[in-house]
Structure formats: C-alpha cells, structure tokens
Amino acid sequence: QVQLVESGGNLVRPGGSLTLSCAASGFTAGDYAIGWFRQAPGKKREGVSCISRRGFGSEYEGSVKGRFTISRDDSKNTVYLQMNSLTAEDTAVYYCAADMWRDYCSFNTYEYDYWGQGTQVTVSV
C-alpha cells in the first residue's frame, strides 16, 4: 500500500541546517507530485515546498525561498528537503504528502491523498 515516512527532524540552533527525508513506498514518487508541509502549535498546516511529477518543476513558499531546497532521488524513491539558515519561525512538525492525480504540485492540502506521520523540527538556542 501507499506509505510515506518522514525522517530527519531534530533540534537545531538558529542559523543551522537540516535535511528531511520522505521515503515513499507502494508507488513511484517520481510519477506524482510530492509536497512538504509544516504545522506549528496553534497554527494551520501550510505548504513549504513541493515538487511536481518528474520534469514539471518545483515550488517554494515565500519565506523559505533561497533557504530550502527540494529534491528527489528516484533510485531511493525518496524526496528530500534541505533546510538552511533555520530560524525559530521554522519550528514545526513537517509532513510530506503525495498527490496521486495532478502533474503539477500545489500548496492546497486538500489536493493531497496520502500523508506521512510527520517529523519534528525545533530551532532553538
């Protein structure tokens, strides 16, 4: 069955870096849009970055542009989120999700069919 498993979350100091992984199983990640979302306490879930099906590009939310990079390793069926210059505002649970219907990714949570369990990122001194 379709499964997404996030990993890589941790406690990091401001200005530090982390790389999150989203391991997919039950489908070929490169054939579908994959999104990274985050949810901070008391806030709604928001899109951070997403990558469309193979060859259709990627998107970034404004506050992470230039700091975060999304990538995909087809040999490992895994999508990564490289996060640099982290700030306290990046503290949240990070989720990856798969859209099984569309070629192009978006930040609309309702368009995603499968979600991982989330991984905690905490940026603090």
Side-chain angles (χ1 to χ4, degrees), residues 36-48 61 63 89-95 107-110 115:
W36 278 103
F37 295 79
R38 65 187 179 188
Q39 188 165 19
K43 296 187 177 181
K44 68 177 184 179
R45 193 168 298 188
E46 63 174 359
V48 175
E61 186 270 330
S63 71
E89 286 66 41
D90 296 314
T91 295
V93 178
Y94 283 70
Y95 301 88
F107 293 148
N108 298 317
T109 56
Y110 59 82
W115 292 80

Side-chain angles (χ1 to χ4, degrees), residues 56-92:
F56 283 70
S58 57
E59 299 289 338
Y60 295 92
E61 186 270 330
S63 71
V64 309
K65 278 184 180 178
R67 300 190 299 125
F68 291 11
T69 303
I70 193 169
S71 62
R72 182 169 49 214
D73 186 335
D74 289 341
S75 68
K76 297 182 178 180
N77 212 29
T78 298
V79 176
Y80 302 96
L81 185 68
Q82 171 69 42
M83 306 187 295
N84 299 324
S85 302
L86 287 162
T87 73
E89 286 66 41
D90 296 314
T91 295

Side-chain angles (χ1 to χ4, degrees), residues 1-5 21-36 50-57 70-80 96-105 112 114:
Q1 77 263 21
V2 172
Q3 190 173 18
L4 298 167
V5 178
S21 300
C22 173
S25 59
F27 72 106
T28 300
D31 291 341
Y32 300 96
I34 304 293
W36 278 103
C50 66
I51 187 165
S52 300
R53 64 172 294 188
R54 199 178 294 112
F56 283 70
I70 193 169
S71 62
R72 182 169 49 214
D73 186 335
D74 289 341
S75 68
K76 297 182 178 180
N77 212 29
T78 298
V79 176
Y80 302 96
C96 65
D99 177 353
M100 311 303 281
W101 292 97
R102 297 165 186 82
D103 293 334
Y104 289 93
C105 69
Y112 289 82
Y114 296 94

